[in-house]
Amino acid sequence: MNTAMAILAHALRMLVFEVSTTLRVLMPALLLVLGASLGIALFAPDIITMLEAPPEVMAPPAPASALAFVLLAAVALVGYALMAILWHRHVLLNGAERPDDLRPNASIFFGYLWRAIVVGFVQMLAAIPVALAMGVLGAILVQGNPSGIAATLIGLAGSVIFIWIAMRFSVVLPAAALGQKMPVRDSWELTKPIGNELWGLALLLTGLNMCVYLLGEVLVPNQGIIAILAQTVIFIVEGLIFISVLTTLYGHLAEGRSLGQ
């Protein structure tokens, strides 16, 4: 557990040590993500209404809204990918000393997107049996515990497992941000020596995500443009923490960097 706490502390420290630098590095990506969310709120509000409505009253959106949503969602995904690439490169290339090298070229950007697709597909395949097992277990336990406590615990356990799987496979992404072609199996092998410690890290990340989610439930309004932007900020924070954890894992395992720096 000490290693897990050290990895998470290092990842968080990199993000908050100089907040102004973090924002400067990530600003192009943040503007894309927040701009896309604002665009969805303005030009595709019926999509949001449809997603929030119960299934029995769900109405199909207008074609124009559906098209706007698809395009803006694509912009948001590009923004998230750019956010990860910029942060990986800032940390691993010592961005404060080499600001001109931070901007990824087209080859690195599309190479990263392809690696992300491959990693996502592999994670999905690995998660299918886990999801099936959790579903069966949930159906059995929830029948004897209608209060929902069992379902909550199963959901938390599932989150820990999925995050652990993601960390084992996703170290290829920082490598891709640097222009390196690391096979997915190499990520699994690279993280194997600390596989047990990653269970503790997955548990810590699950708890941290839960705290961020609950804080958002308390502070974020339920409806309106402000609510959409605030929820987007929450997603960005959760994503940045995981991105910074992957950066730390790559630096520590692939480059031999100390967790104390």
Side-chain angles (χ1 to χ4, degrees), residues 207-220 234 238:
L208 188 57
N209 288 341
M210 182 187 301
C211 291
V212 173
Y213 171 79
L214 292 176
L215 186 63
E217 286 289 300
V218 173
L219 299 179
V220 175
I234 291 174
E238 292 177 342

Side-chain angles (χ1 to χ4, degrees), residues 71-92:
L71 294 176
L72 290 167
V75 172
L77 289 175
V78 169
Y80 274 109
L82 182 60
M83 181 172 67
I85 294 170
L86 289 174
W87 187 248
H88 293 322
R89 291 176 68 82
H90 168 69
V91 174
L92 298 172

Side-chain angles (χ1 to χ4, degrees), residues 119 122-123 125-127 130 161-173 182-196 198-199 246 249-250 253:
V119 168
V122 172
Q123 290 176 5
L125 291 179
V130 177
I161 295 172
F162 293 143
I163 290 176
W164 183 85
I165 292 173
M167 288 189 292
R168 291 298 305 271
F169 286 119
S170 297
V171 179
V172 301
L173 298 179
M182 176 188 291
V184 174
R185 64 179 178 274
D186 285 4
S187 174
W188 184 270
E189 292 298 322
L190 188 65
T191 55
K192 188 175 181 179
I194 62 168
N196 291 334
L198 290 183
W199 285 110
L246 293 182
L249 287 175
Y250 182 87
L253 297 173

